[in-house]
């Protein structure tokens, strides 16, 4: 193993690493995110973190390190999206006293059999509750929340007014809040 000592050597090492792993790493990320823009953002974050670490000292297994960082960045992205989804479905205003705290359950760092079970149960109940909705409400919710599609794009796709789509999503969210509140109460009664 060669130890890099001069800044010029570090820069050439970074450039060589990007050339060696860039394409395969981008492919790895693309298979795990929804669109190319997200994949490129994550890859940029990986390279930024790599350049900072290389400047601090050598990395023994560069390939393993790069893929582990990419995987962590992908998980962070999914976690952020789940947090946004939960924010939208949690009660607001007068319902704040209900104590519904799915974030604490679903976004905990610890992965135990119990948290894995609760996460799976949440997603199962979410999709069951979505199936109970009228098709137009369900589809707007899925496109907007799960597929990250802006209302403008949905309006172009369906020919519907944006206000109509916002209203449909609101009805979907109200239904999902009610259903997930029941799940939360069942979980916390144990």
């Amino acid at each position: 193993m060669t130890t890099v000592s001069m800044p010029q050597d570090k820069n050439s090492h970074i450039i060589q690493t990007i050339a060696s792993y860039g394409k395969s790493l981008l492919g790895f990320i693309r298979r795990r995110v929804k669109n190319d823009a997200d994949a490129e953002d994550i890859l940029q974050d990986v390279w930024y973190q790599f350049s900072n670490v290389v400047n601090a000292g050598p990395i023994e297994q560069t390939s393993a390190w790069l893929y582990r960082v990419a995987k962590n960045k992908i998980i962070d992205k999914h976690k952020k999206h789940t947090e946004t989804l939960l924010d939208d479905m949690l009660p607001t205003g007068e319902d704040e006293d209900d104590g519904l705290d799915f974030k604490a359950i679903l976004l905990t760092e610890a992965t135990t059999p119990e948290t894995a079970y609760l996460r799976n149960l949440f997603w199962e109940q979410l999709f069951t509750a979505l199936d109970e909705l009228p098709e137009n409400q369900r589809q707007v919710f899925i496109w907007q929340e799960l597929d990250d599609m802006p209302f403008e794009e949905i309006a172009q796709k369906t020919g519907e007014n944006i206000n109509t789509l916002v209203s449909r999503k609101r009805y979907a969210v109200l239904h999902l809040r009610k259903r997930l509140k029941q799940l939360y109460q069942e979980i916390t009664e144990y």
Side-chain angles (χ1 to χ4, degrees):
M1 177 172 70
T2 47
T3 304
V4 180
S5 59
M6 294 173 37
Q8 186 67 20
D9 290 339
K10 287 181 183 182
N11 288 340
S12 65
H13 177 65
I14 291 170
I15 292 168
Q16 181 182 4
T17 302
I18 290 172
S20 297
Y21 296 103
K23 190 173 182 179
S24 62
L25 193 57
L26 182 59
F28 172 82
I29 297 167
R30 273 190 178 139
R31 289 190 298 275
R32 289 161 177 80
V33 296
K34 292 181 182 178
N35 59 53
D36 288 347
D38 287 345
E40 290 168 7
D41 287 347
I42 290 170
L43 183 63
Q44 188 70 30
D45 288 345
V46 171
W47 293 135
Y48 177 75
Q49 191 167 342
F50 178 72
S51 68
N52 287 334
V53 170
V54 166
N55 288 331
I59 299 173
E60 286 188 33
Q61 294 185 348
T62 303
S63 177
W65 187 92
L66 290 170
Y67 283 92
R68 185 174 59 244
V69 170
K71 182 180 171 199
N72 290 341
K73 297 284 183 188
I74 293 165
I75 290 169
D76 289 346
K77 180 126 186 100
H78 288 305
K79 186 186 251 188
K80 183 178 178 184
H81 178 65
T82 300
E83 191 170 324
T84 303
L85 174 64
L86 291 173
D87 282 343
D88 195 30
M89 289 191 298
L90 292 177
T92 58
E94 66 278 355
D95 296 333
E96 286 292 331
D97 297 335
D98 292 340
L100 188 62
D101 191 9
F102 270 109
K103 278 187 187 181
I105 295 169
L106 296 172
L107 299 178
T108 181
E109 289 294 323
T111 301
T112 64
E114 184 178 73
T115 58
Y117 171 76
L118 291 175
R119 286 183 191 120
N120 288 338
L121 185 60
F122 168 80
W123 288 107
E124 181 181 302
Q125 289 299 311
L126 174 66
F127 286 112
T128 299
L130 281 170
D131 286 341
E132 297 167 357
L133 290 169
E135 176 64 25
N136 56 9
Q137 291 176 15
R138 176 178 52 244
Q139 196 58 59
V140 169
F141 182 87
I142 290 171
W143 281 333
Q144 222 277 316
E145 287 294 334
L146 302 179
D147 294 340
D148 286 332
M149 192 180 295
F151 281 116
E152 294 80 18
E153 189 176 331
I154 298 170
Q156 290 174 351
K157 185 176 196 164
T158 62
E160 296 282 350
N161 181 311
I162 290 178
N163 290 335
T164 301
L165 297 172
V166 169
S167 178
R168 287 178 183 167
K169 181 186 171 196
R170 182 179 182 287
Y171 285 118
V173 168
L174 291 173
H175 174 73
L176 294 171
R177 281 183 187 168
K178 182 178 176 183
R179 291 284 277 119
L180 293 174
K181 182 178 176 183
Q182 291 172 358
L183 172 64
Y184 181 78
Q185 288 172 343
E186 290 173 14
I187 290 170
T188 57
E189 286 176 3
Y190 285 104

